[in-house]
Amino acid sequence: MLKKIVIGNWKMNPVSLKDADKLFSSAAKSISKVRKTEIVICPPFIYLERLRKLSKKINLGAQDTFWGDVGAFTGEVSAEMLYNLGVKYTIVGHSERRALGEENIDINKKLKALLSARITPILCVGETSRDESHEYFNVVRTQIKECLSGINKNLISKIIIAYEPVWAISSTPNRRDATALDSREMSVFIRKVLSDIATPAIAKDTRVIYGGSVSERDAEEFLRYGGVDGVLSGRASLTAEKFVKIIKIAESI
Ligand code: 13P
């Protein structure tokens, strides 16, 4: 069985370093007994350096990177810079970035940059809506195939695939809840796509996680029955007690 992972994506929160410090420290102090579960927090870039000093138990992740390695790219942050700061994971292809114009071709270059910098990429995939003819499976297949294009098969299991149905994410207007069955069905499908791209063994070794409004109330359902190796939570990770509760649920399963 693959090690369970619980990831918090803070998105563009909180508004000050003081608040970031408080949120991170308060989660860190309640997880001293956690042994089996990998924990990651992805804060905004500007808090990474400070938070790195606060806990060894919580791994640091970034929410994005740029594909270039160094040079004239105003406003960007490279994978190597993140690595040098102690970042171990980085989210790419989040739907909130895709909505700003990021495409599979950009995500593919970012994945390659992260892998060369020895950072574990967390690749987000997921359809914006569901249709009766199940076209959404093709949407996710295309995302995975295009994002992984040209990546050495043996590196695929180093990538975490996060299934985030956009229609379930808290920032989506009129969102609705996804079920553990929705997650299970898609995680089986994602492994099938990985198996076609690489091999069944590589697909089996690749962590697939679920993200889409996971809270302390439904984390157990997703972790037990959703066919996934972990969860990626947004809003719930902004309240230390809720995030810690999700971690403890993962630890108990
Ligand atoms: P919410 O948990 O706020 O729905 O966010 C999910 C997400 O986008 C995590 O990356």
Side-chain angles (χ1 to χ4, degrees):
M1 208 170 88
L2 302 171
K3 193 171 179 185
K4 291 253 175 323
I5 187 161
V6 174
I7 307 171
N9 174 9
W10 282 4
K11 306 189 179 181
M12 201 170 70
N13 298 287
V15 292
S16 72
L17 177 58
K18 195 165 158 236
D19 290 347
D21 199 318
K22 206 167 135 202
L23 174 59
F24 193 90
S25 307
S26 113
K29 77 171 191 311
S30 315
I31 50 163
S32 55
K33 293 204 183 76
V34 175
R35 300 269 175 271
K36 300 181 293 179
T37 309
E38 222 165 307
I39 306 163
V40 184
I41 285 182
C42 304
F45 288 132
I46 54 163
Y47 302 144
L48 286 165
E49 165 131 52
R50 160 74 187 154
L51 299 184
R52 178 180 63 153
K53 302 188 178 105
L54 299 183
S55 165
K56 286 203 163 46
K57 198 118 195 170
I58 301 179
N59 294 290
L60 276 187
Q63 298 174 17
D64 189 26
T65 187
F66 186 61
W67 45 262
D69 47 11
V70 68
F73 299 107
T74 303
E76 300 293 355
V77 174
S78 77
E80 194 181 348
M81 289 172 182
L82 294 173
Y83 177 82
N84 289 337
L85 258 191
V87 167
K88 300 245 165 22
Y89 297 82
T90 295
I91 297 171
V92 280
H94 193 281
S95 58
E96 287 153 15
R97 297 209 59 83
R98 290 178 189 263
L100 295 173
E102 183 161 291
E103 297 190 1
N104 293 335
I105 189 163
D106 308 302
I107 299 162
N108 174 255
K109 289 196 269 185
K110 292 181 177 188
L111 281 172
K112 289 173 179 164
L114 288 169
L115 290 166
S116 347
R118 286 162 290 153
I119 290 178
T120 302
I122 302 160
L123 167 62
C124 296
V125 295
E127 73 283 5
T128 48
S129 60
R130 288 211 160 184
D131 57 304
E132 281 175 10
S133 53
H134 299 102
E135 184 55 30
Y136 57 89
F137 282 114
N138 290 332
V139 170
V140 172
R141 185 196 347 250
T142 302
Q143 287 177 337
I144 297 176
K145 283 198 159 166
E146 293 186 1
C147 290
L148 297 186
S149 166
I151 291 177
N152 184 320
K153 279 182 196 174
N154 298 317
L155 293 177
I156 288 181
S157 62
K158 301 206 180 307
I159 300 172
I160 297 172
I161 313 275
Y163 172 53
E164 295 211 331
V166 183
W167 48 270
I169 290 178
S170 65
S171 54
T172 301
N174 304 319
R175 65 162 296 280
R176 60 186 180 82
D177 284 336
T179 64
L181 185 63
D182 295 324
S183 161
R184 183 172 204 95
E185 215 174 51
M186 192 55 88
S187 74
V188 170
F189 179 75
I190 288 172
R191 286 222 161 78
K192 166 83 177 72
V193 174
L194 294 175
S195 164
D196 293 345
I197 296 175
T199 65
I202 289 171
K204 193 164 158 265
D205 280 350
T206 305
R207 280 192 282 190
V208 178
I209 64 173
Y210 175 79
S213 280
V214 175
S215 73
E216 73 291 0
R217 282 170 277 115
D218 55 17
E220 177 159 4
E221 187 80 5
F222 283 109
L223 286 164
R224 274 196 197 282
Y225 309 113
V228 287
D229 308 298
V231 289
L232 171 53
S233 136
R235 198 163 48 176
S237 70
L238 296 173
T239 307
E241 301 77 55
K242 292 184 181 179
F243 189 57
V244 167
K245 212 159 173 191
I246 296 174
I247 294 165
K248 291 189 173 162
I249 291 168
E251 183 77 357
S252 72
I253 289 175

